[in-house]
Amino acid sequence: MRHYRFGMIAALFALGHLAFVGVLGALALTTDHGRPLWTVVARDPFFLGDEDAFSVPWGLTVAVLLVGAVQAWALWQVLRGRARGEPAHRGGRVGLLRLALYLQVGFGIALFASVPLIVAAEAYWFWTATEIITGLLQAAVVWLFFLVLRGVVSRGLRLFSLVAGLLACASGLGQSITGVLGLDTAVFTLAGGYGYVWQAWSVSILVAQARDSRWSAATVRIGVVAQVMTFLKPGGSMGISTGVFPWAFAVHTLIGAVSVFGLVWVARTAHELANPLPQPVPRRRPARAAARWWPVAAVAVVLPLVPAAVNLTHGMYLWIGPRGAIENVVRVEGGGTPALTWFSLDVFVGVGGPALLLLVTVLRRTRRLVRFTTVTLTVAAVVAFVSALTTTPVPAVSGDFFYEGVQIYPEGLFTRERDGELFFGVSPSWYGAALLASALLLLVLYPAAPAQRVRRHVVLAVTVTLLALGFAPVADQSLGPVTAAEDCAPYEPWRGEPRKPELTSDQRFVCSYRQAGLVTFADTTPDAVILAHGRRLCGVYTRNDPQEVARLQTVEGLRRDALTYPLAQICPGADAVVQAAAAEQELEDQEWEDDAQRMCDSTPRHRPLIRAAKAIRIKEPQWTDYGAVETYEPTEDEADPFEDGVLDEAQRNGLVAALPGHLMVLTHPDYDLCVTLETYTRRPPVETKGWDHVVEVGYRSPTGEIVLRDDLSGTGFPDLSLNGRAGHYRIRVHYDWFRWKGKNDYGQRLLIMAFPGKGDKPVTYRARRKQ
């Protein structure tokens, strides 16, 4: 701390931030008040929504505390100032550049610290104003870097950085100003290359700093990390809208919170401009390892091309595609620059691009390049393995494949084969195996120096061992049959699907246990694991030990009574409870049905005043699912019965309406219905006595089949037509709503008369009384 001008002050700020975050972390771990910790560290109040009590999972709380520690380190780096001693006098341009950089740091800290205040005061204009001021400052920084780097790097690199930096600044300022004016234009976005132009300027400055003795190697490395974090950092935030914790959004928010390396790089760049000039160190040419075993080197170069060649022969050029958790997070919740960058890497690795990097490494063989290549290949292999392990199968249904999120893949790239399956390319694990094998071959061909070999070999051995153990199945996770979600779906012949084989009792339990949602299993979890878990819970359920049940609810969050139905198929104790409940429900249903039958039997029989051609008294009580029975007959104009307005017309008179080919009668959906149907050869006398509502309408039957039904409940009445006669009918509907003393508090009685007759005009003989 004494080595820097403001070291003590910076240490106090950093330690204060760290202590404050630690206190809030302890509060979040012991209570449900995680909002203060999240607001202070993540600086994203939108994520929390409007909930007062916000519980952060303990694992995420630990991650937030680590992010807070990184922020404290950033405060120390930014506030400590330059090194003590007489500052180097390097001209007014260097002073102006330091001033502009410090102003940038000040604006960055102010913006970082004021997020909650801006949201609370709804002063969002402050962000736009800050963006405009920062853009002007950045333009000045670009110009001053162009001047300060004169004589240090080539003119071509300086001109490139000047053009790229000014173009990026103009793009950013244009977007901010057009946003204030409410103009919607993509010109400035295209000019800025979606952020890639600014990345190009940053990389050019890092290259210049690496060649300038005024800046340390640590500053350059921090700048590189800052550029990597820029690619990973998502745009925007998302609030909680469901009961499921949004892990993807939480991770993205924390990536944004830990993206302080750019601020540290700017501050260190300004600090070190005033440091005393270091002693010149003669540049050494990088040592090159001797060429060894060229067939092995050739194998290392060719390995990444093998899965790429298989993919390309099938017309696929992607490494991963829309598969796996990492790709899903980048595409669905990320978007913008991260999604485009991911797609570029996906194509680069998919066509065998790593082979170019390996070829350059084998030809040059410098230690730094070998280290960079092996680390890059290892990281890519880990991404491939994670993507392969988190890939979920796509159901084989008809239609084009559609994926959520940013549409970064070309339309029509993923087509279904004849068997209905989608081809995304070979599994990413093949790419991972090839990349990891190439990295190991590089380490064997070009080992580190003897002084560094032991420590690094230990790290490599431990890493490889852990990786191998991670993919080896353990005893209670042995491989076996897996019942997929599509296997649990019921057979639906109307979809044209082939008949599925009958599920075994174990498979039926697995399906019901997964669908219950009490315990979440991965889609690739073997059935044996789920069965073992269910049998363990069956033991807890059967013993019904109070302490064991309490521990189950405390540790696993499972209540004993919630396990009854999910465990019934494999647990006799739970099955007995289910059977008893089913028997009780069946007895209650039977009593209800018997009461409804007695109700219909007690209603008076209708005695026609003239001889009916056909009279049917339906013995069993009827019911409707949505309060209507209707008939559909095809017509010449092929009218849509759901759009012809018959329902609206029936609701106007409250009972019946008709159009050619469509007849509807309304009832109450919650009470049983006693039905009588009568068909006459001529018009019967009007009867209203004993009925609450009587309406007659005209109906034209195109086919001579008038069958009223309710498809949802399965209710269907006998044919009302006169011996299959097509043509014009008059339909008279009698409705009675009456009190019944039984389980059915009320009942309905319906008498429908049909007879030949012309005329479409509806006639109400008795209006419905108020019930």
Side-chain angles (χ1 to χ4, degrees):
M1 292 182 292
R2 297 179 179 179
H3 295 293
Y4 300 98
R5 190 177 182 186
F6 305 111
M8 292 298 296
I9 298 175
L12 289 176
F13 273 100
L15 292 176
H17 178 79
L18 190 60
F20 187 47
V21 169
V23 171
L24 295 180
L27 181 66
L29 288 172
T30 56
T31 66
D32 289 335
H33 294 80
R35 176 184 287 273
L37 174 65
W38 191 271
T39 303
V40 169
V41 176
R43 325 301 297 177
D44 190 359
F46 299 109
F47 177 84
L48 304 180
D50 298 326
E51 300 179 8
D52 294 330
F54 181 78
S55 178
V56 180
W58 72 269
L60 187 60
T61 301
V62 173
V64 174
L65 291 175
L66 294 177
V67 172
V70 174
Q71 292 174 351
W73 168 83
L75 281 174
W76 152 253
Q77 291 285 334
V78 170
L79 300 178
R80 71 187 187 184
R82 61 176 176 81
R84 283 187 176 275
E86 188 67 23
H89 298 286
R90 300 177 182 176
R93 295 172 180 174
V94 173
L96 289 175
L97 178 57
R98 292 186 68 224
L99 176 62
L101 292 173
Y102 281 137
L103 287 175
Q104 275 192 320
V105 172
F107 273 107
I109 294 178
L111 184 62
F112 182 80
S114 61
V115 169
L117 297 177
I118 294 173
V119 174
E122 296 185 356
Y124 303 113
W125 57 267
F126 181 77
W127 284 336
T128 303
T130 305
E131 288 175 356
I132 295 176
I133 297 174
T134 304
L136 295 174
L137 271 176
Q138 192 60 51
V141 169
V142 169
W143 173 251
L144 290 171
F145 260 117
F146 175 75
L147 299 179
V148 169
L149 293 175
R150 179 180 295 173
V152 179
V153 296
S154 64
R155 179 179 296 179
L157 182 60
R158 289 172 58 235
L159 287 175
F160 174 81
S161 66
L162 178 65
V163 173
L166 292 180
L167 183 60
C169 291
S171 173
L173 287 172
Q175 292 182 54
S176 300
I177 295 173
T178 53
V180 172
L181 299 177
L183 302 177
D184 186 11
T185 176
V187 174
F188 296 106
T189 303
L190 294 174
Y194 296 93
Y196 291 110
V197 176
W198 187 251
Q199 295 288 326
W201 177 84
S202 301
V203 171
S204 67
I205 296 301
L206 288 173
V207 172
Q209 285 184 324
R211 299 176 181 178
D212 195 325
S213 60
R214 288 174 289 189
W215 286 291
S216 63
T219 299
V220 177
R221 295 193 187 100
I222 292 174
V224 172
V225 174
Q227 300 312 309
V228 174
M229 295 300 296
T230 300
F231 280 112
L232 298 177
K233 182 179 178 182
S237 61
M238 181 72 69
I240 294 178
S241 58
T242 65
V244 180
F245 194 89
W247 288 98
F249 298 138
V251 172
H252 272 201
T253 304
L254 289 184
I255 290 176
V258 81
S259 299
V260 294
F261 298 95
L263 201 64
V264 173
W265 174 66
V266 174
R268 288 181 63 102
T269 299
H271 296 337
E272 294 179 359
L273 274 172
N275 287 347
L277 285 172
Q279 295 295 326
V281 178
R283 295 185 62 183
R284 299 179 179 177
R285 296 187 62 182
R288 297 176 61 179
R292 304 173 58 195
W293 304 337
W294 68 264
V296 178
V299 170
V301 174
V302 172
L303 276 176
L305 296 175
V306 175
V310 175
N311 265 355
L312 290 174
T313 55
H314 290 81
M316 188 62 61
Y317 51 85
L318 298 177
W319 165 33
I320 293 175
R323 294 181 290 187
I326 298 177
E327 186 275 341
N328 184 72
V329 169
V330 173
R331 171 172 47 82
V332 178
E333 286 88 9
T337 301
L340 294 176
T341 304
W342 174 269
F343 177 70
S344 302
L345 293 175
D346 203 357
V347 175
F348 178 76
V349 179
V351 299
L356 297 177
L357 179 60
L358 284 163
L359 180 61
V360 173
T361 304
V362 169
L363 294 177
R364 293 188 58 83
R365 300 185 301 281
T366 62
R367 184 58 201 160
R368 180 175 297 178
L369 185 55
V370 170
R371 186 187 305 119
F372 171 79
T373 304
T374 53
V375 170
T376 302
L377 295 180
T378 304
V379 171
V382 171
V383 171
F385 288 132
V386 171
S387 300
L389 292 174
T390 56
T391 298
T392 56
V394 178
V397 297
S398 59
D400 296 333
F401 171 67
F402 176 79
Y403 57 90
E404 297 179 354
V406 182
Q407 303 294 298
I408 59 177
Y409 301 108
E411 183 178 359
L413 180 62
F414 309 109
T415 57
R416 297 191 178 274
E417 306 291 339
R418 293 183 177 179
D419 57 357
E421 294 185 356
L422 284 167
F423 179 72
F424 294 102
V426 298
S427 173
S429 58
W430 289 102
Y431 279 98
L435 296 175
L436 187 60
S438 296
L440 294 176
L441 288 177
L442 282 184
L443 291 178
V444 172
L445 286 171
Y446 314 113
Q452 304 172 347
R453 189 175 300 169
V454 175
R455 177 169 57 88
R456 291 180 178 173
H457 278 194
V458 170
V459 174
L460 176 62
V462 172
T463 303
V464 173
T465 303
L466 291 177
L467 186 63
L469 291 176
F471 286 96
V474 295
D476 60 345
Q477 295 288 334
S478 58
L479 298 179
V482 177
T483 302
E486 55 268 22
D487 298 329
C488 298
Y491 171 62
E492 297 177 340
W494 61 273
R495 290 183 177 271
E497 300 175 350
R499 179 174 291 277
K500 300 178 180 179
E502 293 291 334
L503 297 178
T504 64
S505 59
D506 289 346
Q507 288 177 319
R508 288 195 297 271
F509 166 74
V510 169
C511 290
S512 63
Y513 201 56
R514 284 182 181 274
Q515 293 165 356
L518 296 177
V519 182
T520 302
F521 293 96
D523 294 337
T524 56
T525 303
D527 293 355
V529 175
I530 301 177
L531 286 167
H533 189 271
R535 292 190 178 101
R536 178 181 67 84
L537 294 180
C538 175
V540 176
Y541 185 94
T542 303
R543 289 187 294 271
N544 197 18
D545 179 68
Q547 294 183 352
E548 195 173 16
V549 171
R551 185 166 58 253
L552 179 69
Q553 183 169 356
T554 303
V555 177
E556 301 183 42
L558 298 176
R559 294 182 294 106
R560 180 179 179 273
D561 56 349
L563 298 173
T564 303
Y565 284 89
L567 294 178
Q569 297 193 46
I570 65 168
C571 189
D575 183 62
V577 175
V578 171
Q579 294 298 333
E584 183 179 356
Q585 183 64 45
E586 184 178 357
L587 179 61
E588 183 178 351
D589 292 343
Q590 186 62 47
E591 291 179 358
W592 188 282
E593 293 176 4
D594 293 343
D595 181 69
Q597 187 65 60
R598 288 192 297 270
M599 179 188 70
C600 287
D601 291 341
S602 66
T603 57
R605 287 179 172 271
H606 178 251
R607 300 184 180 278
L609 299 181
I610 64 174
R611 183 180 179 84
K614 181 170 52 177
I616 301 174
R617 177 184 170 96
I618 301 179
K619 182 178 180 180
E620 295 81 9
Q622 306 294 306
W623 66 281
T624 60
D625 188 78
Y626 61 99
V629 288
E630 51 192 326
T631 183
Y632 306 108
E633 297 183 68
T635 56
E636 295 178 354
D637 57 0
E638 298 181 354
D640 184 358
F642 298 100
E643 302 291 340
D644 58 8
V646 169
L647 175 61
D648 297 335
E649 185 63 30
Q651 289 173 339
R652 287 190 185 96
N653 62 49
L655 188 56
V656 61
L659 283 176
H662 189 188
L663 172 66
M664 177 181 293
V665 178
L666 299 182
T667 64
H668 199 295
D670 298 329
Y671 296 90
D672 292 299
L673 183 64
C674 306
V675 181
T676 300
L677 305 174
E678 296 175 354
T679 305
Y680 296 86
T681 57
R682 60 188 178 89
R683 182 178 185 272
V686 176
E687 302 176 53
T688 60
K689 184 178 180 180
W691 300 101
D692 296 327
H693 199 184
V694 182
V695 179
E696 181 180 308
V697 296
Y699 174 68
R700 183 171 67 85
S701 173
T703 65
E705 186 178 3
I706 310 175
V707 178
L708 290 166
R709 62 184 181 273
D710 175 16
D711 291 332
L712 294 181
S713 65
T715 297
F717 299 166
D719 189 3
L720 270 171
S721 67
L722 182 60
N723 300 323
R725 173 186 176 276
H728 292 275
Y729 284 84
R730 297 290 292 179
I731 307 295
R732 188 182 302 163
V733 181
H734 308 69
Y735 178 84
D736 181 29
W737 172 267
F738 59 93
R739 180 79 179 183
W740 171 253
K741 295 181 181 180
K743 288 185 176 295
N744 299 286
D745 294 332
Y746 290 91
Q748 305 175 89
R749 191 163 58 102
L750 196 65
L751 169 62
I752 304 177
M753 296 180 176
F755 54 93
K758 295 185 178 180
D760 297 329
K761 183 178 180 181
V763 179
T764 301
Y765 295 109
R766 171 166 288 184
R768 183 189 296 269
R769 66 180 181 180
K770 294 184 179 179
Q771 300 173 3

